[in-house]
Amino acid sequence: MAFPFSFSFTVIFNGLNFIMILLLCSAAQTKGSGSGAGAGAGSGSGSGLVLLLDNPDHSYFRTQSLSQEAYMTQSDIAATMSVLLGFAPSASLSVSSSKLDALLTPNPFKRPHAVLVLEARGINQETLSGLDFSNFGLESYSYRHLVAESSDTAFDFPEDEVMLVSLKGASDDENDLHSIEKELSDLALWLGGFYTGGQQPMQGNLSIPLSKESSLTLNLLKGADQIFAKELVSLYQNIRRVAVMHENLAESSLDTAELLLGSFAGVEALQEHYGHNNIPCKGLELFLNVAVKLFNSLQLSYGGQIVGIVAMNSNVVPSSEEMFDIKLTSRNSHLLSELDSSKRLPPNFAEVQAKLIRKAVAWSMAFILLVTTLVGVYYLFNMPITRDTLLYSNVKLD
Protein backbone atom coordinates (compact mmCIF):
# COMPACT_ATOMS: atom_id res chain seq x y z
CA MET A 1 0.00 0.00 0.00
CA ALA A 2 3.02 2.31 0.29
CA PHE A 3 3.56 2.53 -3.44
CA PRO A 4 0.12 3.97 -4.41
CA PHE A 5 0.33 6.47 -1.56
CA SER A 6 3.77 7.73 -2.61
CA PHE A 7 2.69 7.80 -6.22
CA SER A 8 -0.39 9.94 -5.49
CA PHE A 9 1.67 12.28 -3.29
CA THR A 10 4.19 12.75 -6.11
CA VAL A 11 1.43 13.53 -8.62
CA ILE A 12 -0.11 16.13 -6.31
CA PHE A 13 3.27 17.74 -5.58
CA ASN A 14 4.17 17.98 -9.28
CA GLY A 15 0.76 19.40 -10.05
CA LEU A 16 1.21 22.16 -7.48
CA ASN A 17 4.65 23.00 -8.87
CA PHE A 18 3.22 23.21 -12.38
CA ILE A 19 0.49 25.61 -11.24
CA MET A 20 3.06 27.81 -9.46
CA ILE A 21 5.24 27.95 -12.59
CA LEU A 22 2.24 29.00 -14.70
CA LEU A 23 1.37 31.76 -12.23
CA LEU A 24 4.94 33.07 -12.19
CA CYS A 25 5.18 33.05 -15.99
CA SER A 26 1.89 34.92 -16.36
CA ALA A 27 3.01 37.52 -13.80
CA ALA A 28 6.34 38.01 -15.58
CA GLN A 29 4.56 38.36 -18.92
CA THR A 30 2.19 40.96 -17.50
CA LYS A 31 5.13 42.93 -16.06
CA GLY A 32 7.06 42.74 -19.31
CA SER A 33 4.10 43.89 -21.40
CA GLY A 34 3.64 46.88 -19.13
CA SER A 35 7.20 48.12 -19.68
CA GLY A 36 7.00 48.64 -23.42
CA ALA A 37 7.43 52.05 -25.05
CA GLY A 38 4.40 53.96 -26.21
CA ALA A 39 1.50 55.73 -24.69
CA GLY A 40 1.53 56.03 -20.95
CA ALA A 41 5.27 55.58 -20.70
CA GLY A 42 5.46 57.60 -17.54
CA SER A 43 2.90 55.63 -15.59
CA GLY A 44 5.51 53.31 -14.02
CA SER A 45 7.14 53.65 -10.66
CA GLY A 46 9.80 56.26 -10.09
CA SER A 47 10.06 60.02 -10.16
CA GLY A 48 10.61 60.58 -13.88
CA LEU A 49 11.78 59.16 -17.18
CA VAL A 50 15.12 58.80 -18.95
CA LEU A 51 15.09 58.79 -22.76
CA LEU A 52 18.20 57.26 -24.36
CA LEU A 53 18.93 58.29 -27.96
CA ASP A 54 21.29 56.26 -30.14
CA ASN A 55 22.49 56.66 -33.71
CA PRO A 56 20.58 54.91 -36.53
CA ASP A 57 23.05 51.99 -36.50
CA HIS A 58 22.29 51.15 -32.83
CA SER A 59 26.01 51.33 -32.10
CA TYR A 60 26.11 52.18 -28.40
CA PHE A 61 22.90 51.15 -26.63
CA ARG A 62 21.53 47.64 -26.71
CA THR A 63 18.40 47.39 -28.84
CA GLN A 64 16.85 44.45 -26.98
CA SER A 65 17.82 42.83 -23.72
CA LEU A 66 15.66 40.47 -21.70
CA SER A 67 17.68 41.14 -18.56
CA GLN A 68 17.49 44.94 -18.69
CA GLU A 69 16.08 46.71 -15.66
CA ALA A 70 13.26 49.17 -16.23
CA TYR A 71 14.65 51.92 -13.99
CA MET A 72 17.75 54.08 -13.63
CA THR A 73 19.08 56.28 -10.86
CA GLN A 74 21.22 59.38 -11.12
CA SER A 75 24.26 57.26 -10.37
CA ASP A 76 23.34 54.94 -13.25
CA ILE A 77 23.12 57.89 -15.61
CA ALA A 78 26.47 59.25 -14.38
CA ALA A 79 28.15 55.85 -14.81
CA THR A 80 26.65 55.51 -18.29
CA MET A 81 28.02 58.93 -19.22
CA SER A 82 31.48 57.95 -17.97
CA VAL A 83 31.60 54.68 -19.91
CA LEU A 84 30.31 56.33 -23.09
CA LEU A 85 33.04 58.95 -22.80
CA GLY A 86 35.65 56.20 -22.44
CA PHE A 87 36.32 56.38 -18.68
CA ALA A 88 35.72 53.96 -15.84
CA PRO A 89 32.86 55.01 -13.52
CA SER A 90 33.86 56.79 -10.35
CA ALA A 91 34.24 54.65 -7.26
CA SER A 92 31.77 56.92 -5.43
CA LEU A 93 28.93 55.81 -7.74
CA SER A 94 26.96 52.81 -6.50
CA VAL A 95 26.32 51.14 -9.86
CA SER A 96 26.11 47.43 -10.68
CA SER A 97 28.08 46.22 -13.68
CA SER A 98 25.17 44.00 -14.73
CA LYS A 99 22.96 47.04 -15.27
CA LEU A 100 25.57 48.70 -17.46
CA ASP A 101 26.10 45.48 -19.40
CA ALA A 102 22.37 45.26 -20.05
CA LEU A 103 22.27 48.85 -21.25
CA LEU A 104 25.44 49.35 -23.33
CA THR A 105 26.89 47.39 -26.21
CA PRO A 106 29.65 44.96 -25.17
CA ASN A 107 32.37 46.51 -27.35
CA PRO A 108 34.50 48.74 -25.07
CA PHE A 109 36.60 49.99 -27.99
CA LYS A 110 33.60 51.50 -29.76
CA ARG A 111 32.41 54.48 -27.76
CA PRO A 112 31.00 57.76 -29.07
CA HIS A 113 33.15 60.04 -26.84
CA ALA A 114 30.39 62.68 -27.15
CA VAL A 115 27.28 62.71 -24.93
CA LEU A 116 24.40 65.18 -24.91
CA VAL A 117 22.60 65.30 -21.54
CA LEU A 118 19.43 67.36 -21.15
CA GLU A 119 17.50 67.63 -17.90
CA ALA A 120 13.86 68.71 -17.95
CA ARG A 121 13.00 69.32 -14.32
CA GLY A 122 9.77 69.69 -12.39
CA ILE A 123 7.55 67.57 -14.68
CA ASN A 124 4.80 65.80 -12.75
CA GLN A 125 3.66 62.24 -13.31
CA GLU A 126 0.42 63.27 -14.99
CA THR A 127 2.30 65.14 -17.70
CA LEU A 128 4.75 62.25 -18.15
CA SER A 129 1.91 59.72 -18.42
CA GLY A 130 0.67 61.42 -21.60
CA LEU A 131 3.91 60.76 -23.50
CA ASP A 132 3.83 58.73 -26.68
CA PHE A 133 7.32 58.20 -28.08
CA SER A 134 5.93 57.15 -31.44
CA ASN A 135 5.03 60.80 -32.11
CA PHE A 136 8.65 61.97 -32.33
CA GLY A 137 9.92 59.91 -35.25
CA LEU A 138 12.66 58.28 -33.18
CA GLU A 139 14.86 55.87 -35.11
CA SER A 140 16.74 54.27 -32.22
CA TYR A 141 15.78 54.85 -28.62
CA SER A 142 14.97 53.24 -25.31
CA TYR A 143 13.73 54.57 -22.02
CA ARG A 144 13.87 53.82 -18.32
CA HIS A 145 11.98 55.05 -15.30
CA LEU A 146 14.02 57.52 -13.27
CA VAL A 147 14.30 56.87 -9.54
CA ALA A 148 15.54 59.83 -7.51
CA GLU A 149 18.42 59.46 -5.07
CA SER A 150 18.68 61.21 -1.74
CA SER A 151 22.36 62.09 -2.14
CA ASP A 152 24.00 64.30 -4.73
CA THR A 153 25.73 62.64 -7.68
CA ALA A 154 29.26 64.01 -7.83
CA PHE A 155 32.07 62.75 -10.07
CA ASP A 156 34.97 64.16 -12.02
CA PHE A 157 36.80 63.85 -15.34
CA PRO A 158 40.38 64.68 -16.34
CA GLU A 159 40.31 68.20 -17.71
CA ASP A 160 42.89 67.49 -20.41
CA GLU A 161 40.78 64.70 -21.93
CA VAL A 162 37.17 65.89 -21.52
CA MET A 163 35.59 69.13 -22.71
CA LEU A 164 32.61 70.10 -20.59
CA VAL A 165 30.19 72.31 -22.54
CA SER A 166 27.41 74.00 -20.61
CA LEU A 167 24.19 74.66 -22.52
CA LYS A 168 23.17 77.64 -20.45
CA GLY A 169 19.57 78.62 -19.97
CA ALA A 170 17.71 81.59 -21.37
CA SER A 171 19.04 85.09 -20.81
CA ASP A 172 17.04 87.61 -18.78
CA ASP A 173 18.76 90.60 -20.33
CA GLU A 174 16.19 92.95 -21.84
CA ASN A 175 18.70 94.01 -24.52
CA ASP A 176 18.66 90.47 -25.96
CA LEU A 177 14.89 90.37 -26.50
CA HIS A 178 15.14 91.51 -30.14
CA SER A 179 17.67 88.81 -31.02
CA ILE A 180 15.67 86.18 -29.10
CA GLU A 181 12.52 87.16 -30.99
CA LYS A 182 14.32 86.78 -34.32
CA GLU A 183 15.63 83.37 -33.30
CA LEU A 184 12.12 82.43 -32.18
CA SER A 185 10.77 83.26 -35.64
CA ASP A 186 13.46 81.07 -37.25
CA LEU A 187 12.72 78.26 -34.80
CA ALA A 188 8.98 78.45 -35.52
CA LEU A 189 9.62 78.20 -39.27
CA TRP A 190 12.01 75.28 -38.70
CA LEU A 191 9.23 73.45 -36.82
CA GLY A 192 6.57 74.28 -39.43
CA GLY A 193 4.85 76.92 -37.31
CA PHE A 194 4.85 80.71 -37.14
CA TYR A 195 5.40 83.58 -34.76
CA THR A 196 3.45 86.83 -34.91
CA GLY A 197 5.15 89.73 -33.13
CA GLY A 198 3.48 92.12 -30.73
CA GLN A 199 3.94 95.79 -29.91
CA GLN A 200 7.00 94.98 -27.81
CA PRO A 201 9.63 92.26 -28.29
CA MET A 202 8.64 88.82 -27.02
CA GLN A 203 4.99 89.78 -26.60
CA GLY A 204 3.52 88.06 -29.67
CA ASN A 205 1.93 84.65 -30.26
CA LEU A 206 3.78 81.43 -31.02
CA SER A 207 2.01 78.55 -32.75
CA ILE A 208 3.70 75.19 -33.44
CA PRO A 209 1.98 72.14 -34.97
CA LEU A 210 2.19 68.89 -33.03
CA SER A 211 1.18 65.32 -33.70
CA LYS A 212 -2.41 64.07 -34.10
CA GLU A 213 -3.51 67.28 -35.82
CA SER A 214 -2.98 69.33 -32.68
CA SER A 215 -0.87 72.42 -32.06
CA LEU A 216 0.48 74.49 -29.21
CA THR A 217 -0.27 78.20 -29.16
CA LEU A 218 1.46 80.39 -26.60
CA ASN A 219 0.72 84.00 -25.72
CA LEU A 220 4.07 85.50 -24.74
CA LEU A 221 2.37 88.25 -22.75
CA LYS A 222 2.00 85.55 -20.10
CA GLY A 223 5.11 85.01 -18.00
CA ALA A 224 5.05 81.19 -18.16
CA ASP A 225 4.62 81.18 -21.96
CA GLN A 226 7.51 83.62 -22.35
CA ILE A 227 9.78 81.51 -20.11
CA PHE A 228 8.98 78.43 -22.20
CA ALA A 229 9.73 80.29 -25.46
CA LYS A 230 13.03 81.66 -24.10
CA GLU A 231 14.13 78.23 -22.91
CA LEU A 232 13.28 76.75 -26.30
CA VAL A 233 15.25 79.44 -28.16
CA SER A 234 18.20 79.02 -25.78
CA LEU A 235 18.32 75.28 -26.45
CA TYR A 236 18.11 75.92 -30.20
CA GLN A 237 20.93 78.49 -30.10
CA ASN A 238 23.26 76.45 -27.90
CA ILE A 239 22.96 73.25 -29.92
CA ARG A 240 23.81 75.12 -33.12
CA ARG A 241 26.76 76.74 -31.35
CA VAL A 242 27.98 73.30 -30.26
CA ALA A 243 27.82 72.03 -33.85
CA VAL A 244 30.02 74.90 -35.05
CA MET A 245 32.42 74.43 -32.14
CA HIS A 246 32.78 70.73 -32.92
CA GLU A 247 33.60 71.45 -36.55
CA ASN A 248 36.38 73.81 -35.44
CA LEU A 249 37.60 71.24 -32.94
CA ALA A 250 37.66 68.54 -35.61
CA GLU A 251 39.81 70.74 -37.86
CA SER A 252 42.34 71.18 -35.03
CA SER A 253 42.72 67.37 -34.79
CA LEU A 254 42.31 67.37 -30.99
CA ASP A 255 41.10 64.03 -29.65
CA THR A 256 38.95 65.27 -26.76
CA ALA A 257 35.74 63.74 -25.42
CA GLU A 258 32.80 66.14 -25.23
CA LEU A 259 30.10 66.25 -22.56
CA LEU A 260 27.22 68.60 -23.38
CA LEU A 261 25.09 69.48 -20.34
CA GLY A 262 21.88 71.46 -20.43
CA SER A 263 18.62 71.94 -18.55
CA PHE A 264 15.09 72.96 -19.55
CA ALA A 265 12.66 74.65 -17.16
CA GLY A 266 9.95 75.62 -19.65
CA VAL A 267 7.57 72.74 -18.95
CA GLU A 268 7.84 73.37 -15.21
CA ALA A 269 6.81 77.00 -15.78
CA LEU A 270 3.76 75.89 -17.81
CA GLN A 271 2.74 73.45 -15.08
CA GLU A 272 2.95 76.10 -12.38
CA HIS A 273 0.76 78.45 -14.43
CA TYR A 274 -1.75 76.10 -16.08
CA GLY A 275 -1.86 73.33 -13.49
CA HIS A 276 -3.37 70.12 -14.86
CA ASN A 277 -4.32 71.69 -18.17
CA ASN A 278 -3.42 70.04 -21.48
CA ILE A 279 -0.92 72.79 -22.28
CA PRO A 280 1.95 71.37 -20.14
CA CYS A 281 1.58 68.01 -21.93
CA LYS A 282 1.81 69.76 -25.28
CA GLY A 283 4.76 71.77 -24.03
CA LEU A 284 6.59 68.56 -23.07
CA GLU A 285 5.83 67.10 -26.49
CA LEU A 286 7.18 70.22 -28.18
CA PHE A 287 10.35 70.16 -26.05
CA LEU A 288 11.03 66.51 -26.92
CA ASN A 289 10.28 67.19 -30.57
CA VAL A 290 12.85 70.00 -30.63
CA ALA A 291 15.37 67.96 -28.63
CA VAL A 292 15.10 65.02 -31.04
CA LYS A 293 15.43 67.23 -34.11
CA LEU A 294 18.47 68.97 -32.66
CA PHE A 295 20.00 65.63 -31.71
CA ASN A 296 19.52 64.40 -35.28
CA SER A 297 21.31 67.50 -36.56
CA LEU A 298 24.18 66.80 -34.18
CA GLN A 299 24.35 63.26 -35.56
CA LEU A 300 25.27 64.77 -38.92
CA SER A 301 27.89 67.08 -37.42
CA TYR A 302 29.46 64.32 -35.32
CA GLY A 303 29.21 61.63 -37.96
CA GLY A 304 27.05 59.45 -35.71
CA GLN A 305 29.60 59.57 -32.86
CA ILE A 306 27.22 61.02 -30.27
CA VAL A 307 24.43 59.76 -28.02
CA GLY A 308 21.70 61.63 -26.17
CA ILE A 309 20.29 61.27 -22.66
CA VAL A 310 17.13 63.22 -21.79
CA ALA A 311 16.26 63.02 -18.09
CA MET A 312 12.73 64.17 -17.28
CA ASN A 313 12.70 64.65 -13.53
CA SER A 314 9.51 65.17 -11.53
CA ASN A 315 11.36 66.61 -8.54
CA VAL A 316 11.08 70.35 -8.16
CA VAL A 317 14.51 71.76 -7.29
CA PRO A 318 15.93 75.29 -7.32
CA SER A 319 17.25 76.43 -10.69
CA SER A 320 20.70 76.91 -9.17
CA GLU A 321 21.03 73.20 -8.34
CA GLU A 322 22.21 70.81 -11.02
CA MET A 323 21.30 67.16 -11.37
CA PHE A 324 24.99 66.21 -11.60
CA ASP A 325 27.96 67.73 -9.81
CA ILE A 326 30.68 67.34 -12.44
CA LYS A 327 34.20 68.64 -11.93
CA LEU A 328 37.22 68.67 -14.21
CA THR A 329 40.41 67.82 -12.34
CA SER A 330 43.99 67.79 -13.52
CA ARG A 331 46.04 64.62 -13.32
CA ASN A 332 48.89 66.66 -11.89
CA SER A 333 46.78 68.10 -9.08
CA HIS A 334 48.07 65.55 -6.54
CA LEU A 335 51.68 66.21 -7.54
CA LEU A 336 51.13 69.96 -7.38
CA SER A 337 49.63 69.66 -3.92
CA GLU A 338 52.69 67.74 -2.77
CA LEU A 339 54.96 70.38 -4.24
CA ASP A 340 52.99 73.10 -2.54
CA SER A 341 53.26 71.31 0.78
CA SER A 342 57.03 70.90 0.33
CA LYS A 343 57.37 74.66 0.00
CA ARG A 344 56.26 75.06 3.58
CA LEU A 345 59.71 74.48 5.18
CA PRO A 346 60.13 73.63 8.89
CA PRO A 347 61.87 76.13 11.18
CA ASN A 348 65.01 73.94 11.65
CA PHE A 349 65.34 73.22 7.94
CA ALA A 350 68.97 74.56 7.74
CA GLU A 351 70.16 72.35 10.59
CA VAL A 352 68.47 69.28 9.11
CA GLN A 353 69.94 70.08 5.71
CA ALA A 354 73.49 70.35 7.19
CA LYS A 355 73.13 66.99 8.95
CA LEU A 356 71.96 65.35 5.74
CA ILE A 357 74.92 66.77 3.84
CA ARG A 358 77.42 65.56 6.45
CA LYS A 359 75.83 62.14 6.49
CA ALA A 360 75.92 61.95 2.70
CA VAL A 361 79.62 62.91 2.60
CA ALA A 362 80.47 60.34 5.32
CA TRP A 363 78.67 57.54 3.51
CA SER A 364 80.31 58.52 0.22
CA MET A 365 83.82 58.47 1.74
CA ALA A 366 83.11 55.14 3.43
CA PHE A 367 81.96 53.68 0.14
CA ILE A 368 85.06 54.94 -1.69
CA LEU A 369 87.42 53.55 1.00
CA LEU A 370 85.64 50.20 0.93
CA VAL A 371 85.92 49.97 -2.85
CA THR A 372 89.61 50.92 -2.89
CA THR A 373 90.40 48.42 -0.10
CA LEU A 374 88.66 45.63 -1.98
CA VAL A 375 90.47 46.50 -5.21
CA GLY A 376 93.83 46.57 -3.41
CA VAL A 377 93.22 43.21 -1.73
CA TYR A 378 92.14 41.74 -5.06
CA TYR A 379 95.31 42.82 -6.84
CA LEU A 380 97.44 41.78 -3.85
CA PHE A 381 96.21 38.22 -3.94
CA ASN A 382 96.51 38.05 -7.71
CA MET A 383 100.15 39.15 -7.94
CA PRO A 384 102.45 36.70 -9.80
CA ILE A 385 104.68 34.59 -7.46
CA THR A 386 107.65 34.43 -9.86
CA ARG A 387 110.58 36.79 -9.41
CA ASP A 388 110.56 39.94 -11.41
CA THR A 389 113.21 39.60 -14.12
CA LEU A 390 114.23 43.21 -13.96
CA LEU A 391 114.32 43.41 -10.17
CA TYR A 392 116.42 40.27 -9.59
CA SER A 393 118.70 40.47 -12.64
CA ASN A 394 122.51 40.92 -12.18
CA VAL A 395 122.75 43.24 -15.10
CA LYS A 396 124.26 46.55 -14.19
CA LEU A 397 123.20 49.47 -16.18
CA ASP A 398 125.61 52.32 -16.79
Side-chain angles (χ1 to χ4, degrees):
M1 297 299 293
F3 176 77
F5 177 79
S6 61
F7 178 78
S8 60
F9 180 81
T10 304
V11 171
I12 295 173
F13 182 78
N14 291 336
L16 291 175
N17 285 338
F18 182 73
I19 294 174
M20 291 297 295
I21 292 173
L22 288 179
L23 291 175
L24 290 175
C25 291
S26 62
Q29 184 177 3
T30 304
K31 181 180 179 180
S33 61
S35 62
S43 60
S45 61
S47 61
L49 276 177
V50 181
L51 180 62
L52 307 173
L53 304 175
D54 202 350
N55 61 11
D57 298 331
H58 309 278
S59 300
Y60 308 112
F61 292 114
R62 290 184 185 268
T63 54
Q64 293 179 353
S65 178
L66 297 178
S67 62
Q68 67 181 352
E69 299 182 65
Y71 72 91
M72 293 182 70
T73 62
Q74 294 173 210
S75 296
D76 296 333
I77 299 176
T80 302
M81 292 161 47
S82 299
V83 174
L84 290 171
L85 291 174
F87 301 94
S90 175
S92 61
L93 302 176
S94 56
V95 182
S96 63
S97 58
S98 60
K99 183 176 291 187
L100 293 177
D101 291 338
L103 181 65
L104 303 174
T105 55
N107 187 0
F109 301 102
K110 188 176 183 181
R111 295 301 180 211
H113 299 293
V115 180
L116 170 66
V117 181
L118 296 177
E119 178 195 2
R121 58 182 62 184
I123 304 177
N124 58 34
Q125 290 293 330
E126 183 177 355
T127 304
L128 289 173
S129 62
L131 277 182
D132 189 354
F133 291 136
S134 62
N135 295 332
F136 307 115
L138 297 170
E139 297 183 11
S140 177
Y141 76 98
S142 59
Y143 80 94
R144 301 288 189 277
H145 297 296
L146 177 62
V147 178
E149 291 180 321
S150 58
S151 59
D152 296 333
T153 306
F155 57 103
D156 51 34
F157 291 111
E159 64 179 0
D160 54 342
E161 296 185 25
V162 175
M163 177 180 294
L164 181 60
V165 181
S166 176
L167 307 178
K168 296 182 179 180
S171 174
D172 295 330
D173 191 356
E174 297 293 334
N175 298 326
D176 295 337
L177 292 182
H178 290 282
S179 61
I180 294 176
E181 189 174 47
K182 183 181 182 305
E183 291 287 344
L184 186 60
S185 299
D186 297 339
L187 176 61
L189 293 176
W190 185 57
L191 296 173
F194 60 89
Y195 172 75
T196 55
Q199 297 180 353
Q200 298 293 330
M202 295 298 294
Q203 292 186 359
N205 294 320
L206 174 67
S207 180
I208 304 295
L210 301 175
S211 59
K212 298 180 181 179
E213 299 181 356
S214 64
S215 62
L216 175 63
T217 302
L218 299 176
N219 182 6
L220 301 192
L221 286 173
K222 300 178 181 179
D225 294 14
Q226 188 174 122
I227 291 175
F228 183 89
K230 287 182 178 180
E231 291 281 328
L232 212 59
V233 170
S234 175
L235 181 63
Y236 179 64
Q237 288 177 331
N238 287 322
I239 295 297
R240 291 192 306 170
R241 174 177 59 86
V242 165
V244 175
M245 181 195 68
H246 176 74
E247 293 177 359
N248 298 332
L249 189 65
E251 293 177 357
S252 64
S253 68
L254 292 176
D255 188 14
T256 305
E258 299 178 35
L259 178 58
L260 318 177
L261 285 177
S263 60
F264 188 85
V267 180
E268 181 182 7
L270 293 181
Q271 282 184 167
E272 292 177 353
H273 181 76
Y274 293 100
H276 300 293
N277 200 318
N278 194 29
I279 292 184
C281 297
K282 292 183 177 180
L284 179 59
E285 182 177 347
L286 178 56
F287 159 69
L288 289 176
N289 191 17
V290 172
V292 170
K293 286 181 177 294
L294 291 174
F295 175 75
N296 291 336
S297 66
L298 286 179
Q299 286 281 355
L300 299 176
S301 301
Y302 283 77
Q305 303 294 314
I306 186 173
V307 297
I309 300 176
V310 183
M312 292 163 278
N313 194 355
S314 63
N315 293 337
V316 179
V317 297
S319 58
S320 58
E321 295 184 6
E322 299 293 338
M323 187 175 186
F324 304 104
D325 183 13
I326 302 177
K327 298 179 181 179
L328 298 180
T329 58
S330 174
R331 290 183 173 181
N332 299 326
S333 59
H334 182 66
L335 177 60
L336 291 177
S337 63
E338 290 184 353
L339 292 177
D340 291 339
S341 62
S342 65
K343 294 177 181 178
R344 297 188 292 269
L345 302 178
N348 58 344
F349 176 74
E351 182 180 354
V352 174
Q353 187 179 24
K355 289 182 179 180
L356 289 176
I357 293 176
R358 288 195 296 267
K359 186 178 292 187
V361 171
W363 278 103
S364 300
M365 294 300 296
F367 179 76
I368 293 173
L369 291 174
L370 178 62
V371 171
T372 53
T373 303
L374 292 176
V375 171
V377 172
Y378 172 79
Y379 281 106
L380 181 63
F381 280 96
N382 287 277
M383 288 178 62
I385 3 177
T386 58
R387 293 183 177 182
D388 186 86
T389 55
L390 182 61
L391 181 63
Y392 292 97
S393 65
N394 295 323
V395 179
K396 295 184 179 180
L397 299 177
D398 295 334

